[in-house]
Structure formats: structure tokens, C-alpha cells
Amino acid sequence: QTLVYGRDRVRFMESLVVGDIAELKPGQGTLTLLTNEKGGITDDLIVTNTSEDYLYVVSNAACADKDLAILRDRAAQLQATGSDVHLEVSDNALLALQGSPSMARVLQTGLSDDLAKLSFMNSITTTVFSVPGCRVTRCGYTGEDGVEISVPAGRAVELAEKLLSVPDVWLAGLAARDSLRLEAGLCLYGNDIDETVTPAEAGLMWTLGKRRRAAMDFPGAAVIMAQVKEKPRRRRTLSCGHGMGRGWPAPHTSLYPHIPGTVTSGCPSPCLGKNIAMGYVEAAHSRAGTELTVEVRKKQHPAVITKMPFVPTQYYMAK
């Protein structure tokens, strides 16, 4: 978690990411992509324009050191030309409370603010179960209604224990989270997106604001926009097997026989009762309904490309 201060903080952030940060209202955030000069995705970030005159940036934990080095290097470059921008690395912990509809009911009992007024991808600073100075952002990595709570590190265990004292709240491991995010069609950095994959190939062009597309002032813009015009040669797709009894495709598994491609994520879907996978295929074969064959444990099994997401999302949009 990084805080970006200074009158040039928006210009600084937009020199690194593809999103329209300038259009964000106070308290509003967006998923955006940190790109390199070849158009590849260095990381996916959530950037929030807070009401306290700074940008709040959350990156993937596995990419934290890499991202921070890029942010610091760019800040130094702009500072050398007289720009007003400086960074502060937060030592807060981050807890995710996810699940429709219980999350809202559980959290509201420990919140003085009205959670019904907090829409998806919006954020407030508040007191949560008597822990002050928490930032609550209505977002998450499960496809369900949920929040991520940035909490002072010294009180993170206290807050976690208070939440877990509610019968509806359970700890969730990475496997449970992975099945939820895959059912929702959400990418995992390092599996489904990385520095060799562009936003156009990954089906993430919706993260590029109209103004940013026209300005082409972000890293890798020429490569990315050329792919949009000429169509990328490969696309990220979802595929669904016909049951759960034969295992599931692991990352780097090949697709056969006439559709060149690779699986990047796979797992059993508890909601669908089928094996599901995400991967890349040649664009000409990426249409939903296309039948293909997936290798699972050295055996080939039928699957079919399906529309995203596998399971409809339950994000909360305040009225």
C-alpha cells in the first residue's frame, strides 16, 4: 500500500498506468494496469483518489518491491524537473471480508458509517469495530460483494479476531479464494497476466479510459493501441469441462488438437460442479461455444470455451 502526495500526483500516476486517474471522484478507485514499454503488464493495481488529498495505491504483494522501485524511480525523475510528488509506504495490514449478503450485515454492526451508501470501488476512512483509522474499500477478489480493510498493523489481529467472533465469518485459504476469483473470471498476476501479456490480449482494454487511448501517453501505448487496431493474435478465454471427476487442467497445460493455446489457471468450480480453466488461444478460435480438448494428467478431455464470467458477479452498486 503506497500513498502518493503532491499537486502533480495524478500526472505522476498517469505516466505509469493506463487508467484515467484524473476523472476519479473523491473516494473513488479503479483497477488499472502498470505497463512496460513493450505493452506488457508489470502489475495490476487499485488506485483510489482519496478525500484526503492523496492517491492510495494497492499492488499485489508478490510485486510490491518491483512496483515500489518503479514508483520511486519515476517520482525521482519528475522531482528533478520540479514536479511536486512524493511517496509514503504504508505499514498497514490489509484484511478482506467477502461474501454476499453476509458481509454487509456483519460489517455494519461494527461501523458508524452507513455501508449502504458505499458503492463498489469506493472508499472511506472510518472506525471498524472500535479500531480507528481504517480505510474500507468496497472491492475484492472473489466476484462477491466485499470490502478490503486497511488497518493499522498493530491492531490487525484484534480486528481479525473481532470479525471471526461472528458465526458467519470464516477464514478462507488461497484455494478457496482461487476458485472464487476464477469463477468470476478474474486474472491472477503471474498466471494469467504478466510482463509478456498486453491488455488487448488479456481482455482488459476496459481499463483504458477514452482520454488515455487518445493521448497515448502511458508506457507501451503504441504497441497496445496497434493491437487494438489490428486485433491481437491471441486472447484470454475461459473454458469449462463436463464434470469434476477427472482432475483439472494445471497452468501451462496445452490445448488440443487444432487450437493452439495454453491454460494459465484451472480448478474445480464448487458453484458449477465442473472443472474450469482460464487460458489463451489464437484469436480466431476464441469465440464462446468453440470446442477444444484439454490435457489433464497426460490424458485429453473435452472442454468448451464459455463467456466470462463463469458465475455472475455480485458487486454492490449503491442507489
Side-chain angles (χ1 to χ4, degrees), residues 63-123:
C63 299
D65 293 340
K66 175 180 69 173
D67 292 357
L68 185 57
I70 292 171
L71 293 173
R72 283 176 168 164
D73 183 62
R74 183 57 178 152
Q77 292 174 9
L78 291 180
Q79 289 165 353
T81 61
S83 295
D84 178 25
V85 60
H86 60 278
L87 310 179
E88 178 183 313
V89 178
S90 171
D91 62 356
N92 278 15
L94 200 60
L95 301 177
L97 183 66
Q98 302 281 300
S100 316
S102 297
M103 182 284 297
R105 183 177 67 251
V106 169
L107 189 62
Q108 187 62 78
T109 62
L111 206 64
S112 56
D113 294 86
D114 184 1
L115 197 59
K117 295 180 179 179
L118 189 66
S119 192
F120 178 61
M121 293 306 294
N122 281 262
S123 176

Side-chain angles (χ1 to χ4, degrees), residues 58-300:
V58 179
S59 64
N60 283 293
C63 299
D65 293 340
K66 175 180 69 173
D67 292 357
L68 185 57
I70 292 171
L71 293 173
R72 283 176 168 164
D73 183 62
R74 183 57 178 152
Q77 292 174 9
L78 291 180
Q79 289 165 353
T81 61
S83 295
D84 178 25
V85 60
H86 60 278
L87 310 179
E88 178 183 313
V89 178
S90 171
D91 62 356
N92 278 15
L94 200 60
L95 301 177
L97 183 66
Q98 302 281 300
S100 316
S102 297
M103 182 284 297
R105 183 177 67 251
V106 169
L107 189 62
Q108 187 62 78
T109 62
L111 206 64
S112 56
D113 294 86
D114 184 1
L115 197 59
K117 295 180 179 179
L118 189 66
S119 192
F120 178 61
M121 293 306 294
N122 281 262
S123 176
I124 56 172
T125 300
T126 186
T127 297
V128 183
F129 285 95
S130 303
V131 180
C134 294
R135 175 167 293 282
V136 176
T137 305
R138 202 154 196 165
C139 68
Y141 196 45
T142 61
E144 296 296 316
D145 183 22
V147 294
E148 291 187 346
I149 307 170
S150 177
V151 53
R155 302 193 69 177
V157 172
E158 173 191 342
L159 179 56
E161 289 178 342
K162 286 180 177 179
L163 290 169
L164 288 166
S165 70
V166 181
D168 283 353
V169 180
W170 293 69
L171 287 173
L174 291 179
R177 186 215 59 179
D178 204 42
S179 68
L180 290 165
R181 71 90 187 170
L182 190 51
E183 287 178 341
L186 303 177
C187 296
L188 174 62
Y189 192 85
N191 278 42
D192 313 303
I193 50 175
D194 57 32
E195 295 190 9
T196 69
V197 176
T198 69
E201 294 171 330
L204 295 174
M205 287 302 296
W206 58 269
T207 62
L208 276 73
K210 184 177 180 180
R211 176 178 63 85
R212 303 305 309 281
R213 295 186 189 212
M216 293 181 62
D217 55 354
F218 51 86
V223 175
I224 295 168
M225 296 313 296
Q227 285 188 344
V228 172
K229 184 178 180 180
E230 300 164 6
K231 307 301 180 185
R233 288 177 292 180
R234 60 174 180 167
R235 292 185 183 275
R236 180 172 63 92
T237 60
L238 301 181
S239 61
C240 193
H242 299 290
M244 294 178 69
R246 297 174 176 172
W248 58 91
H252 312 301
T253 298
S254 297
L255 307 179
Y256 295 96
H258 60 287
I259 302 177
T262 306
V263 170
T264 53
S265 292
C267 75
S269 166
C271 289
L272 299 178
K274 298 179 180 180
N275 293 320
I276 57 176
M278 184 182 294
Y280 287 83
V281 300
E282 287 189 351
H285 304 289
S286 62
R287 188 181 300 274
T290 301
E291 295 183 350
L292 47 84
T293 304
V294 180
E295 183 184 88
V296 180
R297 297 174 184 170
K298 298 183 179 181
K299 294 184 179 180
Q300 296 179 18

